[in-house]
C-alpha cells in the first residue's frame, strides 16, 4: 500500500500461561519471550518521559523507579506513542522548565519530541504534567494518592497512562485492562500425568497476577462477562472438568 507509513508494535506472548492442551497432554515449557511484530498504518508519536521527580516523596528510590518503569511501559505500548530514550540534553531541559507549565516549544521540537511527560511525587501523592509540543497545550493531573504498595500503585499508574492517552487522542487507553488465563501444572507426583489447572488474572502487562479459582481440578477457557448497568466490572465463567 503506497502512501502509508508503517510502524511496528511488539507483543510478548508468554506461552506457558495459556492452556490449549487436553488433560493428558504434555505441554513444553518456554523460558524465552516470543516477540510477534505487527505492522500498523499509523505513525507512533515520540514521547519523552522525564525521570520521576522525588521531592519529599517519603518513598524508597527503588520503589519510585519501579513506578517509573510501569509508566514507561504503558506509554510505550498504547498504540499511539513511542517513548524515546533518556538523554542528558532532554533531561536538562525538563529540569530547567520545572513543574509549572512553562515549556519551550522550539527546543522540544528541535529534539524531535511530540509529547513531554513529567511526574512528581510529594508526600505520597503523585502529580503529572503533559505537554503537547505541536499546539503548546499543557494538561495536568494533581495529587493522586499512593499507598506505598506496588500492587495497588501500579494500577494507579495504569489509570494515569490511560488518562494521558484519552486527553490527547480522545479514546481510552489499554493500560487498565486485564487478562484472564488458565495456569496448568502437574500434580506433586512427578511420575504422574495428571494435571490441575486454575483460573488466574493479571494486569495487561503481566503484573499483579493472582489466582481466582481454587478447585483443585481442571479449569480452562475463562471468559469475562459484561458488567451490569451501573457497574464497572462483571463476573466471569469458565469450563471445569472437576466432575
Amino acid at each position: 500500500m503506497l502512501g502509508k507509513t508503517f510502524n511496528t508494535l511488539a507483543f510478548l506472548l508468554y506461552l506457558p500461561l495459556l492452556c490449549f492442551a487436553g488433560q493428558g497432554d504434555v505441554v513444553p515449557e518456554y523460558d524465552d519471550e516470543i516477540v510477534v511484530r505487527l505492522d500498523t498504518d499509523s505513525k507512533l508519536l515520540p514521547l519523552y518521559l522525564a525521570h520521576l521527580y522525588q521531592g519529599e516523596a517519603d518513598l524508597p528510590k527503588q520503589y519510585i523507579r519501579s513506578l517509573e518503569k510501569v509508566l514507561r511501559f504503558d506509554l510505550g505500548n498504547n498504540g499511539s506513542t513511542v517513548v524515546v530514550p533518556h538523554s542528558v540534553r532532554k533531561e536538562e531541559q525538563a529540569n530547567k522548565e520545572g513543574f509549572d507549565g512553562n515549556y519551550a516549544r522550539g527546543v522540544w521540537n528541535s529534539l524531535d519530541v511530540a509529547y513531554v511527560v513529567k511526574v512528581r511525587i510529594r508526600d505520597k501523592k503523585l502529580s503529572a504534567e503533559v505537554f503537547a509540543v505541536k499546539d503548546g497545550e499543557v494538561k495536568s493531573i494533581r495529587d493522586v494518592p499512593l499507598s506505598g504498595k506496588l500492587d495497588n500503585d501500579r494500577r494507579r499508574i495504569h489509570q494515569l497512562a490511560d488518562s494521558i492517552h484519552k486527553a490527547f487522542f480522545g479514546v481510552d487507553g489499554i493500560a487498565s485492562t486485564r487478562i484472564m488465563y488458565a495456569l496448568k501444572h502437574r500434580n506433586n507426583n512427578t511420575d504422574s500425568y495428571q494435571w490441575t489447572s486454575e483460573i488466574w488474572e493479571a494486569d495487561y502487562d503481566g503484573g499483579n497476577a493472582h489466582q481466582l479459582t481454587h478447585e483443585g481440578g481442571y479449569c480452562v477457557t475463562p471468559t469475562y462477562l459484561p458488567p451490569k448497568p451501573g457497574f464497572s466490572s462483571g463476573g466471569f465463567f469458565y469450563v471445569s472438568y472437576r466432575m
Side-chain angles (χ1 to χ4, degrees):
M1 298 177 64
L2 299 178
K4 287 192 174 183
T5 301
F6 289 88
N7 303 309
T8 301
L9 295 178
F11 295 87
L12 304 182
L13 303 182
Y14 298 93
L15 296 184
L17 295 182
L18 302 179
C19 292
F20 295 106
Q23 187 167 357
D25 295 338
V26 177
V27 180
E29 294 186 358
Y30 300 88
D31 293 328
D32 297 332
E33 296 174 350
I34 295 180
V35 179
V36 179
R37 302 189 179 276
L38 304 177
D39 289 331
T40 68
D41 59 359
S42 60
K43 185 178 181 180
L44 300 179
L45 300 174
L47 178 149
Y48 186 71
L49 173 62
H51 283 305
L52 270 64
Y53 177 66
Q54 308 171 38
E56 301 176 5
D58 195 27
L59 291 170
K61 290 184 178 181
Q62 186 58 42
Y63 186 83
I64 293 177
R65 289 288 173 251
S66 297
L67 297 181
E68 181 180 323
K69 183 177 180 180
V70 174
L71 182 58
R72 188 175 185 85
F73 182 91
D74 289 349
L75 296 176
N77 291 275
N78 57 18
S80 300
T81 59
V82 57
V83 180
V84 299
H86 284 117
S87 73
V88 174
R89 179 69 182 88
K90 295 183 181 69
E91 203 63 26
E92 287 179 347
Q93 182 62 31
N95 292 332
K96 178 181 177 181
E97 293 167 342
F99 208 81
D100 299 317
N102 297 317
Y103 292 85
R105 291 177 61 187
V107 174
W108 287 110
N109 191 57
S110 68
L111 294 172
D112 296 323
V113 172
Y115 297 96
V116 181
V117 177
K118 299 178 185 178
V119 178
R120 177 178 64 191
I121 298 177
R122 178 179 294 172
D123 298 328
K124 288 190 176 181
K125 292 182 180 179
L126 179 149
S127 297
E129 204 168 74
V130 186
F131 172 58
V133 177
K134 183 178 181 180
D135 55 17
E137 186 177 8
V138 178
K139 294 183 179 293
S140 60
I141 300 172
R142 302 294 184 186
D143 296 333
V144 177
L146 297 175
S147 66
K149 297 180 180 180
L150 187 59
D151 287 350
N152 295 331
D153 291 343
R154 71 191 322 278
R155 288 181 176 170
R156 293 192 172 108
I157 295 294
H158 291 329
Q159 293 170 356
L160 171 64
D162 285 345
S163 297
I164 292 172
H165 189 274
K166 188 167 186 177
F168 288 106
F169 300 102
V171 295
D172 293 328
I174 63 171
S176 296
T177 59
R178 300 178 186 178
I179 57 174
M180 190 180 294
Y181 55 94
L183 183 61
K184 174 181 175 180
H185 61 86
R186 186 177 293 181
N187 290 342
N188 293 332
N189 184 355
T190 56
D191 295 330
S192 171
Y193 285 97
Q194 296 297 314
W195 295 78
T196 58
S197 179
E198 301 287 0
I199 306 303
W200 285 64
E201 185 183 51
D203 294 352
Y204 89 115
D205 59 357
N208 278 343
H210 57 282
Q211 188 172 339
L212 297 178
T213 64
H214 299 82
E215 287 196 7
Y218 198 77
C219 306
V220 293
T221 60
T223 303
Y224 285 110
L225 292 170
K228 296 180 180 179
F231 291 83
S232 60
S233 62
F236 67 96
F237 68 93
Y238 56 93
V239 175
S240 173
Y241 287 89
R242 184 175 182 181
M243 301 303 292

